[in-house]
Amino acid sequence: MPNNPPLIANNSLIAIVDDDESVREAIKGLLRSMKFTAETFSSAEDFLRSAHVNRTTCLIADINMPGMSGFDLYRHISNLSRRIPMILITAYPNDGVRASPPGAGIFGYLIKPFSDDDLLKSLRFAFSAAPDRDDAP
């Protein structure tokens, strides 16, 4: 993995929401190795109850989770006054979903296991397209 500078400000946060602890921790470790600030949550509900929602610059969420799914979380986030770019991940790919993402706030659809490069590309896309970003690449 190239040693690129962070794409976001130091006070920003990438939130990882996945019910699989090993996936959460692996993504968090990867992001931290790339100098990002990252926090993990075992459910969408845990994320929404956290104090980190307002700091979140990008959200990586599993599509298939018990309770609120990644799509449900996307719909909830879409109703907030502050938009958070999302990258959806899944171990159960669905060509229909990938062909037509549910809305403008989705900046990646990655199938587990995905490469470091694919995640980084999705992050760059999310940050460059975010309307309130002054420091996007």
Side-chain angles (χ1 to χ4, degrees):
M1 172 63 45
N3 224 357
N4 292 327
L7 304 173
I8 58 176
N10 289 338
N11 64 344
S12 299
L13 174 75
I14 299 173
I16 304 149
V17 181
D18 196 310
D19 58 315
D20 184 329
E21 182 178 9
S22 63
V23 171
R24 287 192 312 267
E25 293 305 318
I27 295 171
K28 182 179 180 179
L30 171 64
L31 292 174
R32 287 190 170 178
S33 76
M34 294 189 296
K35 309 297 185 220
F36 290 107
T37 301
E39 291 293 333
T40 62
F41 303 90
S42 61
S43 71
E45 294 88 353
D46 286 348
F47 169 70
L48 292 170
R49 284 189 297 263
S50 79
H52 296 293
V53 173
N54 290 329
R55 278 190 57 220
T56 299
T57 304
C58 186
L59 180 59
I60 300 170
D62 189 9
I63 292 173
N64 298 301
M65 295 183 288
M68 184 183 284
S69 72
F71 285 126
D72 294 336
L73 178 58
Y74 165 77
R75 285 187 279 277
H76 185 87
I77 295 293
S78 295
N79 291 325
L80 298 177
S81 59
R82 183 179 165 272
R83 301 293 170 121
I84 301 172
M86 287 186 70
I87 297 168
L88 295 174
I89 60 177
T90 186
Y92 307 99
N94 176 323
D95 289 335
V97 171
R98 191 176 352 162
S100 59
I106 304 295
F107 292 91
Y109 178 83
L110 302 176
I111 298 167
K112 299 175 191 177
F114 46 84
S115 72
D116 298 357
D117 281 342
D118 286 342
L119 179 59
L120 187 57
K121 285 176 192 174
S122 293
L123 288 169
R124 285 191 184 280
F125 181 49
F127 297 142
S128 68
D132 59 346
R133 303 292 307 148
D134 295 332
D135 55 348

